[in-house]
Amino acid sequence: MSVLAVARRVRAYGGHFLLLMVLTLVTAALVTGVPRLAERLSGQGLREQLAEVPGQGRDLLYRRAPEIQPPGTAGWTAAHQGPLDDLAAGMPPVVRDVLGERWYAADTGFARLKGPELTRDKGLFDLALRTTTGLAEAAILVEGRWAGQGERREAAVEIALAEPVARTLGVRAGSRLRAALYRPDGSEYGAAPVVVVGVFRPRDPADGVWDGLPSALRLTPPVGDGQPFQLVGLTDAVGLDDRAAAGWAAGVSYRYRVDPDRLAPGRLDALIAGLSQVDRERPSGLHFSQGVDIPLRQYADALAAARTLLTVIATGVLATLAGLTALAAGLAVRRRRDEYVLLRARGGSAFGVVRRGLAESALVVPAAAGVGWLLGGLLPTDPLAGGTPGAALRLAVAAALLATVALPVAVLAAQRGGVGGRRDLLRLRGGAGRLTVEVTLVGLAALAAFLLRRRGLTLGGQVDPLLVSVPVLLAVAAALLALRAYPWPLRLASRLAARARGVVAFLGTARAGRAGVGAPLVVVVLAIATAAFCGVVAVGISDGRDRAVTRAVPADALVAGDRFAPDTAAALGGLPGVRAVTPVLAQSGQRLYADADGRPAGVGEAYVLLVEPAAFADVARRSGLDVAVPGALRGDRATSLPALVSPDFAAALAEAELADRAGRRPGWVDVQGNKLPFRLAGTTARFPLVPAEITRFVVLPWPDLPADGPYPLAPTGFLLAAGDRPVDPAALARVAEEGQTRYQTEGTVTGGKRPLPPRVTTWAAERERLGGSGVNGLLVFGFAVGAAGGALLGLLALAFAVLAGARGRGQVLSRLRTMGLSRRQWQGLLLIELAPLVVVSVLTGAVVGALLPVLLNPVLGLSAFTGGVPVTVRFEPGLVAGVLGLAVLALVFAVAVEAVNNRRLRLGEVLRLGEES
């Protein structure tokens, strides 16, 4: 068999081979390109998520706490700078490769600073000395010089101060101060003159060199009344060594910052393990701390879940492409039926016919696979990933081999199954072999689904074969069951059509019952199930994210702080765009009591939240959020407050025989000095504003305390509902800070610890943060590929079903047209013929796609995308509309394919020539 002869046959049937080549090319391109794009999106998401982490959260810090050095210590600073590079060299290579900037810093303890400019009205000031690497490159001198760079030393200790610090102290270059240590009895020691030789301004305040604590760029405010401000003066090694030798405590730190641009998803697990190894192998005398492994672990969990989800989607798409390849091969064999019959009639063997098909397929299909591989390799990938994964190459080779043997296998099946003849589904029951295969497949699908739910998911970077097989097996099993039930409604419709007038309905139902819908139905079910699975899971994740954000921010905006003056709510309500405001009060770690006298209850501590139930529900409703406030919180408050508690805490209260529902022995909680009695009114596992990690909490309604009482309740936060106009977070923060300041300065108790600025969180911003970072890009890509690919491939499978019967349908059309059948009647006949296949396959695929997430939800780990909130999968009404729309589109597409095919076949010549084509 010469290559030229094979090439001539390929050219003669170029349309069929072109279809096989296109399917093979698309499969190879997807197998190659999708992993590359997924790796790129994974790396991009990883780097974006780590870049959002504050710099200090990405630092690996070795630290030796300040301690007094032995007398006569010299050259202390230089002696401790060497380990900066040695420590990095001792780290595992996977950790060392992701390190970016590094800094060495030596600090002294704080000493009291005095001077002519530091008058009493400015307060007290404590000074710490620091020398660090990279200082000259990170700052600009505004005045003077750096320490140790003059022709002569002005004093033993020369310092440079940040411009804001110098301005607050009222000093400038040349100012002379004095620093000293004090013993508990008030006596002074270790005093030294300090000269400010320079004032600097940072080139970039966000530069990591300034992240050492305490900050050298600003004053650290006092922790309470009568306490000093703290500042850091930058000096040189001579000045710091002088103070270390004089008895000042001195310590060192070595900081290494993880560079997000050096992170790669493929090395994530190794990096996390390397960080643990660094912690275990830290040198003695040094304390090691790092927090970068927390976001890395969070991303690794989300990435594992995303890859699992993408594997399920990719499996559905590839299985659909495999089915389409089989349909294309079957269509080619069907069109060449007479050729194969003639070959056998002339003495050719079945093996010779199969070898003929293999030679033709091997000539073009592997080349198409190679082109697809090259095209997929052109798609961008992560720059640190190292190209196309090896698994993709193996999968592409397997796809090419399967596509190559698809045609000879179809030829062999046609030879063994016979050619020609008519088989009707209405009368075809199938033999014991078909029933055995179907029962085996259905049983295998049910067993695999059971084992997957029982066993769970096998992680570790490898594809779980059970997870890959279950969706395909379930879709095929559902298609077989639908195919078994397919003849029953058709038989009823055919009987009704036979009794009715007109030929269109009768011929349409009769042709709908012809054999040949089995394989297309299975492929369409696979395709639609994949698309529906993507839609259902995407909606479930979106709803889960909405619920997660609503738990944290159950209103348009949340203002949280320390304590606010009572009139803060009115001030916030007066801002433009604010429609409703309600106060909340949250206190963590509150101890419960057995009576009003403060006798311990022995039930431990709990998180206490006070809300006004009616106002809370109203603000949530005005914000357009679905927040249910149990009616139990609105009970009688005369003798004790109705409490909503967590199940864990309810069990502790029951064991202590406190807070019974009747209120005979209430529990007591101290809220801002007020002993509040409460009784158990209900339990709930979650409540808005209660942090997700809290498992012991008490929610109480706001008590009716007199406004002029000894301890009026001060809110710690506010929930706000916005109108049509968006609320300005900056305005909310300004008004809230003013209210917090009024409470500190004008309340019953003034002063105390300086509070942190209030925090303003909007629902929209929090929702965007949760849905716009991490692996979200990979999820969107996977859902888009699955939904669009499933819908398009399903339509293509329907086109194959139309083309498979095109010749026989063309002969019928030619005869009926000569008998007066109009074009509109023919289109109606075609719709009736294809409607059962379209409706059954699309509905079966939609049901399977909607049930798959319910079945796989426990093993997919979808809560990794929603901040830990469980994903509730449900059948959305929009999916029903989408399925119906897809069915209508499929019918219109089938009619269009038939019309195009009719023009190509020149149906007017079919009857005259007496041929099928």
Side-chain angles (χ1 to χ4, degrees), residues 107-114 118 122-130 159-162 164-171 177-179 194 196 200 212-222 228-234 248:
D107 295 78
T108 67
F110 284 98
R112 184 58 46 84
L113 185 65
K114 297 182 179 180
L118 307 183
K122 295 181 180 179
L124 302 176
F125 297 93
D126 281 355
L127 170 71
L129 301 178
R130 175 178 300 164
I159 63 172
L161 296 177
V165 176
R167 186 186 309 114
T168 302
L169 269 61
V171 300
L177 309 171
R178 185 172 182 273
V194 177
V196 179
F200 67 89
L213 295 177
S215 175
L217 300 181
R218 63 190 64 88
L219 287 173
T220 302
F229 291 90
Q230 293 180 340
L231 65 140
V232 173
L234 300 180
W248 287 30

Side-chain angles (χ1 to χ4, degrees), residues 654-673:
E655 185 177 353
E657 298 182 350
L658 288 177
D660 59 291
R661 293 181 180 271
R664 289 186 294 269
R665 192 183 178 193
W668 295 78
V669 61
D670 189 333
V671 180
Q672 296 182 355

Side-chain angles (χ1 to χ4, degrees), residues 361-380:
S361 182
L363 185 64
V364 293
V365 172
V371 174
W373 169 265
L374 294 177
L375 291 177
L378 296 178
L379 295 177

Side-chain angles (χ1 to χ4, degrees), residues 446-748:
L447 179 62
F450 172 77
L451 291 178
L452 182 61
R453 287 181 63 92
R454 187 75 176 269
R455 186 205 68 180
L457 187 65
T458 301
L459 297 177
Q462 301 297 324
V463 176
D464 190 343
L466 190 59
L467 176 67
V468 169
S469 62
V470 164
V472 176
L473 286 175
L474 289 175
V476 173
L480 293 178
L481 294 177
L483 195 59
R484 273 287 177 180
Y486 187 81
W488 295 95
L490 275 182
R491 185 177 292 117
L492 177 61
S494 181
R495 289 175 181 174
L496 295 176
R499 298 174 183 177
R501 298 181 60 183
V503 71
V504 173
F506 172 73
L507 290 178
T509 54
R511 292 193 58 81
R514 294 290 178 86
V517 302
L521 188 143
V522 173
V523 177
V524 174
V525 168
L526 270 171
I528 302 302
T530 302
F533 173 82
C534 294
V536 172
V537 173
V539 172
I541 291 176
S542 179
D543 289 346
R545 288 172 173 173
D546 290 345
R547 286 185 281 112
V549 175
T550 301
R551 286 183 182 179
V553 187
D556 286 326
L558 168 66
V559 177
D562 190 6
R563 296 186 185 185
F564 298 94
D567 59 349
T568 308
L572 290 171
L575 291 174
V578 178
R579 292 195 299 172
V581 181
T582 183
V584 295
L585 193 158
Q587 288 187 325
S588 60
Q590 295 301 300
R591 187 176 298 276
L592 277 295
Y593 302 100
D595 52 37
D597 296 330
R599 184 167 58 88
V603 295
E605 298 178 344
Y607 186 94
V608 179
L609 176 67
L610 270 63
V611 300
E612 181 55 55
F616 189 94
D618 180 65
V619 169
R621 179 183 58 81
R622 289 171 177 262
S623 301
L625 303 177
D626 183 16
V627 177
V629 179
L633 282 179
R634 307 185 186 187
D636 182 27
R637 312 181 194 180
T639 57
S640 60
L641 299 176
L644 197 65
V645 304
S646 62
D648 290 351
F649 196 61
L653 291 173
E655 185 177 353
E657 298 182 350
L658 288 177
D660 59 291
R661 293 181 180 271
R664 289 186 294 269
R665 192 183 178 193
W668 295 78
V669 61
D670 189 333
V671 180
Q672 296 182 355
N674 299 279
K675 294 289 196 309
L676 302 179
F678 67 92
R679 66 183 187 277
L680 181 63
T683 60
T684 181
R686 290 283 181 265
F687 193 83
L689 295 180
V690 177
E693 65 273 10
I694 299 296
T695 59
R696 295 166 59 91
F697 61 85
V698 181
V699 182
L700 300 173
W702 201 279
D704 298 325
L705 297 179
D708 57 351
Y711 303 109
L713 293 178
T716 60
F718 299 93
L719 295 175
L720 299 92
D724 297 334
R725 298 174 53 187
V727 180
D728 183 10
L732 293 178
R734 175 180 53 80
V735 173
E737 187 166 12
E738 292 173 355
Q740 192 169 255
T741 303
R742 284 196 301 274
Y743 178 84
Q744 292 287 324
T745 58
E746 302 174 7
T748 304

